[in-house]
Amino acid sequence: MTVHIGADVGQIAETVLMPGDPLRAKWAAETFLDGPECINRVRGMLGFTGTWKGNRVTIQGSGMGMPSLSIYANELITTYGAQTLIRIGSCGAMQPDVGIRDVIIAMTASTLTSPSSAILRDINFAPCADWSLLNAAVTAAQARTVQTHVGGIYSSDVFYAERPDLDEQMARHGILGVEMEAAELYTLAARHKRRALAILTVSDHLQTGEAVPAQDREQSFGDMVEIALEAAFPDA
Ligand code: HPA
C-alpha cells in the first residue's frame, strides 16, 4: 500500500494501462479483462486487476495532468514494480488531417514544463516512447480499421490555454495532438528503466471545434484499449 494506492504489493500486475478517468478504468476493466477485481479506491482513483488472454493486467486511473499522473506512476513503479505502463487517454487534434475518433500513437511528448523539470533543470530532455511498445502498437493499429497517426504530441499543463501562440507553434512543428500527461510518464519510464507508451483517441479538434459526443466515447475508446493490450502482449 502507498499513500495513494490501497492495493497490496502483488495485487498490481507488471503491465498497467492508465486512463486519466477512473470511471474509464472501470469500464475498460469490465469490458476487456477477465475476472477484474477492484484493487484501489483511494480518492476514487479506481484501479482494477484482471487478465487478458491469460496475461495479468492492471488498469489504474492516473487523474488529469502530469502532477497527478506522476504520483500514480511513481508509486506503481517504485512500490509495485510496474514494468510496462501504457497511457490510454484522449487528446485534442492539432493537424487538419487528424480527425476526431482517430488514434494517435505518441512517439514523443513535448512540453513547456513537467514535474521532472526541477530535476532536469537546464536539460531540454526529449521524452520518447519505448520502441518495442510503439512498434507493436503500430502493428496492432494497422490491423484495425481505425485511422491511426504516429508522431509527436504536446503534453500541456493547462486545458484552458491562454496562449494560442503555443498551440500554433506546436502545430507548425508537426505536433499531432495535445493532452496533459504523456511527457511525465515517458520521463519517469526513462529514469526507472521501464517501458512506456501513450495511445490517444482524438476527442476534440482544436482547429475545427468538432468533438466526439459523450455517448460515442466508449465505442471510440475501445480500439485504443485493444491496441494497448495487443501492444503489451504481441504474442497473445
Ligand atoms: N487540451 C488538453 N488536453 C486535452 C484536450 C485538449 O484540447 N482534449 C483532450 N485532452
Side-chain angles (χ1 to χ4, degrees), residues 13-215:
E14 285 191 356
T15 298
V16 185
L17 270 48
M18 302 186 76
D21 178 353
L23 291 179
R24 198 171 300 147
K26 182 174 192 288
W27 168 79
E30 289 172 352
T31 306
F32 297 100
L33 301 189
D34 294 321
E37 183 196 351
C38 185
I39 48 84
N40 188 47
R41 287 195 173 82
V42 178
R43 290 179 185 245
M45 196 56 75
L46 302 173
F48 299 81
T49 297
T51 60
W52 182 77
K53 299 191 177 178
N55 299 288
R56 278 184 94 223
V57 181
T58 294
I59 307 184
Q60 170 63 53
S62 71
M64 290 179 283
M66 290 184 273
S68 180
L69 174 130
S70 189
I71 289 171
Y72 293 100
N74 262 297
E75 293 180 8
L76 289 166
I77 289 170
T78 59
T79 299
Y80 295 100
Q83 300 296 323
T84 297
L85 300 99
I86 305 180
R87 166 162 158 71
I88 46 172
S90 59
C91 72
M94 300 185 96
Q95 297 293 333
D97 65 330
V98 178
I100 60 165
R101 298 188 187 82
D102 288 3
V103 165
I104 294 177
I105 301 175
M107 202 149 50
T108 62
S110 297
T111 53
L112 301 186
T113 64
S114 80
S116 292
S117 300
I119 302 169
L120 294 165
R121 298 199 208 197
D122 46 354
I123 298 171
N124 203 349
F125 184 68
C128 74
D130 175 81
W131 165 248
S132 62
L133 281 177
L134 181 89
N135 193 30
V138 172
T139 302
Q142 282 172 342
R144 315 181 78 85
T145 53
V146 66
Q147 276 290 321
T148 304
H149 310 264
V150 185
I153 61 162
Y154 167 32
S155 297
S156 173
D157 283 326
V158 290
F159 186 88
Y160 297 105
E162 298 277 350
R163 287 266 313 268
D165 56 310
L166 295 175
D167 288 349
E168 278 163 29
Q169 289 299 344
M170 292 290 174
R172 190 158 81 96
H173 289 82
I175 293 297
L176 299 173
V178 54
E179 51 87 77
M180 301 181 65
E181 294 82 15
E184 175 69 359
L185 178 65
Y186 287 4
T187 305
L188 287 173
R191 189 177 310 146
H192 294 282
K193 300 189 168 49
R194 310 298 160 103
R195 303 195 309 156
L197 179 66
I199 306 172
L200 307 165
T201 301
V202 175
S203 60
D204 51 276
H205 203 297
L206 269 64
Q207 287 146 347
T208 66
E210 267 182 294
V212 179
Q215 66 269 25

